[in-house]
Amino acid sequence: RDGDQPRILVEKRGRMAHVLRQLLLQLSSVASGPVFSDENERAAYSGFLLDGCLNALESILNDEHQHGQLVEGSVVADLLSAEIVDLVTILSRLTSNFKIKVMSTLPSFSRYLNALCHMGKWLLETSFAECQRVEGDIEMMEGVYWKNDALSHVLQCSDANADDYWLVSGTGGEEAIQASRALASMLAPLYGPYCMCRVRMSSLEEHFITKEGGDLDEIREEISAFGMEEEMNSGASLGRLDVLSSIKTLSEMFQQCMPRLTALFDEAGMGGDMTPEIAALLEEARMLILCAGHLLTDDCSGETPDVPESIINASKPGMPNSDTCLASIASLVDLLRSMAEKQATLMARFPGDPRLSPLLAKTILWFFRRFGPAYILPSSDEYRENKGGILAAYSTPGTAQPLVDFCTSLCLMYFCHLPQEKEVHDETTALLKAMAKKPFVRQLLMGCSSFDKIVALSSATSCLRHNASASEVATSMKTVSDDLTLDVVTGYQRLPYSDRARILTCIIIACSDMQNDKSNIMLTGCLKAVEMSFSNLCQALREKKAHSSNINVQESACLSIFLYGGIVLASEMSEPERIPLFITPSLPHLSGLMTFYAEDLTICEGLLKLFRDYAEQYIDMLTREQCIELFTASASMLKLYSEHHCKNRDISKPSEALEDFEEEKNYSDVMSAIQLLIHLGTKDFTNLCNTQTRSSQGIKTGQITDVIFFGLQQIIPLMTQGLLQFPTLCQHYFTLVGFMVETYPEKLCALPFELFNSLVESLLFGMAHSDQMVSKSSLQGISSLAKEHLKTHALGTHLTTNPDIFDVCTRRLIREVIFQPIIWDRLEPAGSALLPLAAINVQGFINIVNNFSRQLSEAKQGRLISAFEQLIKPDVLSHVVTEGREGRVRRVEFKSDFEMFVRETQSFLVVS
């Protein structure tokens, strides 16, 4: 024990030091308020904290350089790692709270930048050395987690500095310019070591995994990829501090990698298996592409793709070395183009060769999917003052056309020669769609021979199943184009129907320019090909020339449903009103497929998704006649679906082998049905359907709600059997139930008892749910049912069968919600539910309160009863009993009283 004393003493002091650093971390968040009288005091305060951190960090770095790396796992090493993480966390907090505008005025600003750079290099270099020591076995690396944590805070500092509005907006004047120069000269040099270490570590890890014959499981891969994405975004901000140096760093690394990669590609077709050396080289190339993509582009999902401001400024005419920067970017892009072309060409000849990695192909496509839409024909208003430089590189049809040709050719090759690689086609279709969404690029697509071929292939294969005969393929080829070859058509034919549908979506968007004759011809041709194929199928089924049980007929039905789904998802086209004009005549026939395939869940699910997507995308632009047609077709389809797939359906118990989101996919048909019902219940849709004309009476709102309630009746038993455990299904179910209970409570009160009881059980489950929307919808539903009974006694029959319905609701509401910490994010709807429940059975409510109080000590009993007496006031209760509602003034008063009641009871009582 005496021998352990020094160790115990060191650990104790270490824990005390950690607590003190945590206090400093909290103090680093005090960045404004009355504690500071002016900006000078803020600067002095931040400077004091900054100097203390820098002194400690510099001391650590000096000790490490003098004494070498400590042994991981020792007491000193553990304490040192905790200290480093705490210190860089404080620096990150100071950077984000005080901003570079204040930090750059401090005398220690240069020390701060140098410390970040040197600490980042030390963390990276020691991690790489450790990775080399264990030969890529990441699991065996010592200290990898805390070093990654510390590095993430260093990168967050650089990210916060680089993206600060004061710097990038140009409003900071000379001070901002000087701060930018300091960042470029003292912090940007960290980018080179970052790229080198991360690329080499990833390469070593891939070498180890391949050598050992193991692999990461999917969940870990997803987590790792997400973490790497975040880190590379921060790393890109670091690289953009000095764009030219960063591009040169990547170019040098590519120059070292490319000769080896080219030699590897040249060996394609010679046979052999994947070796650790090949895997490491492919991973090195992939990581370099990721670095280049993050440096030159931003993730603009859902936004207009833009060129990063720092890239524009670095290549702007008149800036130092702008021509060199522009040439370096162009050279890097050309290098990636040549790599992609070589790989795709060889993959067309040797699709199964392991040297031609689909993952590398996916990464190249990812780069151009982000690069192309941003740099090709940039048209943003933000670029008006910035002309020339990188913005001029692809700003005219002449300079942009080669890059558009390249992208479409790349997509075509992978469509036809790598049809079964889903992840590759996730990127090919995303690239094609990203270009098609830019109006000016659409004109260039019309000039691409590769795009012409993609359109022709889509039309030619719109009637070709996966198992189509050679004669069917030949006939289809002749009717569309003489330029198509058999191997190209059969390759495209092998694409999954879902991918063919996504490509059709891209084609429709790209061909939506109404002023272009070629676009109109292509669009009409694609739509007619799909319509003709489906029409022939329907005619054959109707005239009994084909039997619905025939596997070829089933395949054709699936193909048509997928292609119509692809058409429906093209709502980003110009003049999207054309889609409802095309779809509406086909809706009865699509719904009519259910008469043949009501028992086929795959086809049912496809139809439900098709109708759901159509309603979701176009419901706000449909005419009255189109709304009526959609409702009629949907009602017929939902009834057949419910009869075959809701009644007596067994819900399997959750599998321990599957994650929730995987198992939830087994019930995506239920999800689609719920979402379709939600869309059919929207106010605009029902109003349009209800509109009368001279020639038509329209569809009454009651007819629509009857269909929705019919669907809801079929779904309630499924949800209460176990589907409420799935988050997304649960959310959509309560969105539908909450809307219908609040809008049409009288209809729900008229449900058969068993069904009504299941509904109430689901509402009680939802009111304590962790999702705020689910709990709010559930509590509002309980409140609406209680108020409806107070007004009309609608539940008299059900109460005869089970008189405890509302007492159970009250008891569980108090125990599971009001007396729990979760009450605070559902305070108002919980109060709105409690009051009418108390008014329904006052004596029962008193008994429930008394039962709760008996479980407490005498002192707490009195406080609880007193709190309830102050909350439930007789005049408010009597008004609710007679009127069925409390009134606006009383509602406001009760809301305030209920919050006080919760604060009081939470102070002494939380029921477990």
Side-chain angles (χ1 to χ4, degrees):
R1 294 177 66 88
D2 293 337
D4 290 339
Q5 188 65 36
R7 178 187 177 96
I8 294 172
L9 186 60
V10 170
E11 288 178 343
K12 184 175 181 181
R13 289 174 177 171
R15 287 194 295 270
M16 291 176 62
H18 174 68
V19 171
L20 287 173
R21 291 193 297 269
Q22 290 298 304
L23 174 59
L24 291 172
L25 179 61
Q26 298 301 319
L27 292 174
S28 301
S29 298
V30 182
S32 60
V35 67
F36 303 116
S37 60
D38 55 29
E39 284 298 306
N40 291 330
E41 283 194 2
R42 286 185 74 238
Y45 178 81
S46 62
F48 174 77
L49 291 172
L50 181 64
D51 288 343
C53 284
L54 294 179
N55 291 337
L57 274 179
E58 288 168 352
S59 175
I60 292 171
L61 287 169
N62 289 334
D63 288 345
E64 287 300 308
H65 286 306
Q66 291 175 12
H67 305 296
Q69 189 173 355
L70 291 171
V71 178
E72 291 289 344
S74 66
V75 177
V76 177
D78 288 345
L79 295 177
L80 180 66
S81 63
E83 184 176 3
I84 291 174
V85 172
D86 287 345
L87 290 171
V88 293
T89 305
I90 293 172
L91 289 182
S92 176
R93 191 72 60 86
L94 288 171
T95 304
S96 60
N97 287 328
F98 288 91
K99 312 294 184 186
I100 193 172
K101 184 177 181 180
V102 172
M103 302 285 281
S104 62
T105 63
L106 302 177
S108 52
F109 182 59
S110 297
R111 287 178 60 206
Y112 158 72
L113 296 180
N114 278 318
L116 285 177
C117 185
H118 286 101
M119 178 53 70
K121 285 181 179 178
W122 179 79
L123 291 168
L124 287 162
E125 289 167 359
T126 53
S127 295
F128 178 54
E130 177 66 10
C131 189
Q132 284 182 308
R133 184 186 71 81
V134 298
E135 298 181 342
D137 186 358
I138 301 297
E139 295 294 323
M140 297 299 293
M141 287 179 62
E142 298 284 355
V144 63
Y145 296 111
W146 77 260
K147 287 178 181 177
N148 284 341
D149 190 16
L151 181 63
S152 70
H153 287 294
V154 172
L155 292 175
Q156 284 172 18
C157 289
S158 67
D159 198 2
N161 285 325
D163 294 337
D164 193 282
Y165 180 77
W166 181 68
L167 285 183
V168 300
S169 65
T171 59
E174 186 61 30
E175 293 178 351
I177 294 173
Q178 294 299 325
S180 295
R181 289 174 180 167
L183 289 171
S185 62
M186 286 183 273
L187 188 55
L190 177 60
Y191 183 73
Y194 169 76
C195 290
M196 184 200 71
C197 291
R198 281 295 182 242
V199 169
R200 292 182 179 176
M201 284 177 66
S202 189
S203 180
L204 283 170
E205 181 183 6
E206 193 66 25
H207 186 282
F208 173 81
I209 290 173
T210 308
K211 180 182 177 182
E212 296 298 316
D215 204 352
L216 292 172
D217 60 65
E218 291 185 6
I219 301 301
R220 289 194 59 185
E221 283 186 351
E222 187 175 337
I223 294 171
S224 176
F226 180 76
M228 183 59 71
E229 177 75 13
E230 283 193 331
E231 186 183 284
M232 282 200 162
N233 284 331
S234 297
S237 296
L238 176 65
R240 290 174 189 173
L241 295 172
D242 188 346
V243 174
L244 179 58
S245 295
S246 300
I247 292 289
K248 284 183 176 179
T249 296
L250 290 177
S251 296
E252 290 171 2
M253 296 178 72
F254 268 113
Q255 293 302 327
Q256 295 172 14
C257 176
M258 279 305 295
R260 292 178 288 134
L261 189 64
T262 302
L264 178 67
F265 286 167
D266 289 338
E267 295 174 2
M270 295 182 181
D273 297 325
M274 176 67 74
T275 65
E277 291 72 25
I278 292 175
L281 176 56
L282 292 171
E283 180 65 10
E284 180 183 343
R286 188 184 75 88
M287 288 293 293
L288 284 172
I289 296 169
L290 287 175
C291 289
H294 282 94
L295 179 66
L296 294 177
T297 65
D298 287 324
D299 183 13
C300 296
S301 302
E303 304 175 6
T304 302
D306 286 334
V307 181
E309 196 72 27
S310 54
I311 306 296
I312 296 173
N313 293 334
S315 64
K316 189 187 302 182
M319 295 295 290
N321 301 313
S322 59
D323 292 339
T324 306
C325 182
L326 180 60
S328 299
I329 294 173
S331 175
L332 183 58
V333 174
D334 289 342
L335 184 146
L336 290 174
R337 283 178 59 181
S338 65
M339 179 198 298
E341 287 172 345
K342 186 174 184 66
Q343 185 191 24
T345 303
L346 289 169
M347 197 169 279
R349 295 173 57 196
F350 313 109
D353 196 296
R355 300 171 184 84
L356 306 172
S357 164
L359 183 58
L360 182 62
K362 172 193 170 183
T363 309
I364 294 173
L365 287 163
W366 167 87
F367 175 87
F368 284 103
R369 190 250 298 171
R370 289 173 49 138
F371 182 86
Y375 286 78
I376 296 173
L377 301 181
S379 57
S380 174
D381 292 339
E382 297 178 9
Y383 299 149
R384 288 179 179 175
E385 298 179 1
N386 297 312
K387 295 182 179 180
I390 194 63
L391 294 176
Y394 309 99
S395 62
T396 65
T399 55
Q401 188 72 58
L403 188 54
V404 175
D405 289 342
F406 159 77
C407 290
T408 52
S409 298
L410 204 59
C411 291
L412 176 62
M413 281 196 232
Y414 287 128
F415 290 153
C416 298
H417 300 290
L418 214 65
Q420 299 303 313
E421 291 290 344
K422 181 184 181 300
E423 291 191 356
V424 171
H425 294 303
D426 288 344
E427 292 298 337
T428 52
T429 52
L431 169 59
L432 202 57
K433 187 175 182 180
M435 293 195 298
K437 285 163 64 175
K438 292 193 74 170
F440 295 113
V441 178
R442 290 174 189 164
Q443 300 175 17
L444 300 183
L445 287 171
M446 294 302 107
C448 292
S449 59
S450 297
F451 184 75
D452 292 348
K453 194 168 286 188
I454 292 172
V455 175
L457 285 168
S458 179
S459 297
T461 58
S462 60
C463 61
L464 294 180
R465 312 172 307 279
H466 286 145
N467 59 346
S469 64
S471 60
E472 289 176 300
V473 174
T475 302
S476 183
M477 287 171 56
K478 289 179 182 178
T479 58
V480 174
S481 173
D482 296 330
D483 296 334
L484 298 177
T485 59
L486 183 62
D487 63 324
V488 168
V489 175
T490 53
Y492 191 93
Q493 176 198 359
R494 290 176 58 212
L495 281 167
Y497 296 154
S498 57
D499 287 334
R500 284 204 240 171
R502 290 194 291 179
I503 296 169
L504 182 57
T505 301
C506 300
I507 291 171
I508 292 172
I509 296 172
C511 297
S512 61
D513 184 359
M514 297 185 69
Q515 309 304 317
N516 189 300
D517 292 338
K518 185 176 180 180
S519 293
N520 290 328
I521 293 170
M522 284 183 167
L523 178 61
T524 303
C526 285
L527 295 179
K528 280 190 174 179
V530 175
E531 184 181 37
M532 183 66 70
S533 175
F534 180 60
S535 177
N536 291 338
L537 172 65
C538 291
Q539 184 176 355
L541 287 169
R542 204 166 43 245
E543 297 175 358
K544 298 185 178 180
K545 293 180 180 178
H547 199 280
S548 60
S549 61
N550 184 286
I551 186 62
N552 292 336
V553 179
Q554 292 177 3
E555 280 283 301
S556 296
C558 287
L559 173 58
S560 293
I561 292 168
F562 271 107
L563 293 180
Y564 269 95
I567 294 170
V568 161
L569 291 177
S571 58
E572 292 172 288
M573 67 184 291
S574 298
E575 308 293 336
E577 296 83 1
R578 289 178 284 175
I579 297 298
L581 291 174
F582 170 78
I583 290 288
T584 298
S586 300
L587 289 177
H589 305 294
L590 288 164
S591 177
L593 284 179
M594 289 291 284
T595 59
F596 300 99
Y597 296 108
E599 296 181 1
D600 189 323
L601 186 57
T602 301
I603 291 179
C604 288
E605 183 180 334
L607 287 168
L608 286 168
K609 287 181 178 179
L610 169 60
F611 276 72
R612 175 204 64 191
D613 291 339
Y614 179 60
E616 182 179 298
Q617 301 284 331
Y618 301 96
I619 205 163
D620 61 337
M621 63 181 76
L622 296 180
T623 64
R624 173 185 173 277
E625 289 72 21
Q626 290 167 346
C627 284
I628 292 174
E629 201 67 58
L630 172 59
F631 169 74
T632 306
S634 299
S636 172
M637 180 184 65
L638 285 167
K639 287 178 181 178
L640 286 168
Y641 164 74
S642 299
E643 288 176 10
H644 290 85
H645 298 290
C646 291
K647 294 179 180 178
N648 303 319
R649 182 170 178 176
D650 292 328
I651 303 299
S652 59
K653 292 183 178 180
S655 170
E656 295 181 0
L658 292 175
E659 296 292 330
D660 280 354
F661 64 88
E662 286 292 336
E663 196 164 357
E664 192 170 25
K665 292 178 182 177
N666 296 330
Y667 304 101
S668 56
D669 58 305
V670 180
M671 175 92 71
S672 299
I674 292 173
Q675 291 171 317
L676 177 57
L677 290 170
I678 292 171
H679 294 316
L680 295 180
T682 56
K683 185 177 180 181
D684 290 342
F685 182 79
T686 54
N687 287 345
L688 267 175
C689 287
N690 199 24
T691 306
Q692 298 183 6
T693 64
R694 292 181 179 179
S695 59
S696 173
Q697 292 297 312
I699 295 176
K700 294 181 179 179
T701 302
Q703 292 176 263
I704 298 175
T705 56
D706 285 344
V707 169
I708 296 172
F709 268 95
F710 173 79
L712 185 58
Q713 286 180 49
Q714 311 306 313
I715 288 169
I716 286 173
L718 296 180
M719 299 304 296
T720 52
Q721 284 179 42
L723 296 189
L724 288 175
Q725 65 184 309
F726 299 118
T728 311
L729 259 174
C730 183
Q731 289 172 5
H732 285 97
Y733 168 75
F734 280 106
T735 298
L736 176 62
V737 168
F739 167 73
M740 298 308 291
V741 174
E742 196 170 359
T743 312
Y744 307 105
E746 72 285 353
K747 285 184 174 287
L748 282 176
C749 290
L751 289 173
F753 176 75
E754 292 296 331
L755 206 56
F756 177 80
N757 196 48
S758 295
L759 172 68
V760 172
E761 283 296 324
S762 70
L763 292 175
L764 293 174
F765 169 86
M767 70 181 181
H769 200 276
S770 58
D771 187 289
Q772 188 177 354
M773 186 278 293
V774 168
S775 65
K776 182 178 179 181
S777 298
S778 301
L779 289 165
Q780 287 175 342
I782 293 170
S783 175
S784 297
L785 291 176
K787 289 178 180 178
E788 180 66 20
H789 179 70
L790 284 169
K791 287 188 291 185
T792 65
H793 299 284
L795 292 172
T797 304
H798 291 336
L799 288 172
T800 303
T801 306
N802 183 4
D804 293 333
I805 291 175
F806 288 115
D807 287 347
V808 170
C809 291
T810 305
R811 191 179 301 111
R812 289 185 60 178
L813 173 63
I814 294 173
R815 183 178 67 245
E816 298 175 19
V817 178
I818 295 176
F819 285 171
Q820 298 293 338
I822 60 172
I823 181 62
W824 295 111
D825 66 0
R826 58 204 70 186
L827 189 67
E828 186 174 348
S832 299
L834 180 65
L835 187 57
L837 286 173
I840 287 175
N841 185 359
V842 177
Q843 186 58 48
F845 181 76
I846 293 172
N847 292 337
I848 290 170
V849 172
N850 288 334
N851 286 335
F852 274 118
S853 67
R854 292 191 192 101
Q855 302 172 29
L856 307 176
S857 63
E858 289 186 11
K860 290 182 178 180
Q861 284 183 23
R863 292 181 67 180
L864 180 63
I865 293 173
S866 174
F868 270 111
E869 288 174 347
Q870 293 177 31
L871 173 66
I872 309 296
K873 297 175 180 176
D875 60 325
V876 176
L877 204 60
S878 62
H879 193 84
V880 174
V881 171
T882 56
E883 300 292 331
R885 56 190 179 86
E886 62 271 31
R888 186 178 64 83
V889 175
R890 292 181 179 86
R891 186 184 308 118
V892 174
E893 291 177 356
F894 182 79
K895 179 181 175 182
S896 176
D897 291 344
F898 185 68
E899 183 174 352
M900 292 176 62
F901 166 82
V902 171
R903 291 186 184 280
E904 167 64 14
T905 55
Q906 289 275 316
S907 67
F908 68 89
L909 174 68
V910 174
V911 176
S912 59

